[in-house]
Amino acid sequence: MASNSSKKQGDLRPSIDLYDYAKLPDPKPRGRPIADDLSDWRVVDDWPDDVPVTPEEVDVFERWFGELLDGMFGPESDRG
């Protein structure tokens, strides 16, 4: 009868799942995330009135966006 009482005491210990590492993680939610409530957002324009631009920066814009700007405003010779 002593063996029965030791089994009962052993049943009180929490069981350990040795295969816990093999469980799949919870699936991630699919679809588009819920949109934020934009009613309490505030836009702040803290840029200065005049933004300094170096000649090198102008050259970069002219090189990369020259064709686009010429299409919008016409070639530089027409603006003369």
Side-chain angles (χ1 to χ4, degrees):
M1 189 126 164
S3 63
N4 285 343
S5 64
S6 65
K7 277 189 174 181
K8 287 181 183 178
Q9 287 177 354
D11 291 342
L12 297 176
R13 286 186 268 160
S15 63
I16 298 173
D17 185 4
L18 298 176
Y19 296 101
D20 186 34
Y21 68 91
K23 291 182 182 177
L24 295 175
D26 293 332
K28 294 181 180 179
R30 300 184 92 183
R32 185 174 239 183
I34 299 172
D36 293 331
D37 180 20
L38 303 179
S39 63
D40 61 343
W41 283 30
R42 191 176 67 141
V43 177
V44 178
D45 180 14
D46 58 354
W47 280 70
D49 290 335
D50 294 325
V51 179
V53 179
T54 65
E56 291 80 12
E57 291 171 322
V58 173
D59 291 341
V60 169
F61 270 86
E62 286 179 348
R63 173 139 333 200
W64 283 94
F65 301 110
E67 291 182 22
L68 178 67
L69 295 172
D70 287 344
M72 290 172 51
F73 302 113
E76 187 175 348
S77 60
D78 292 349
R79 287 183 261 150

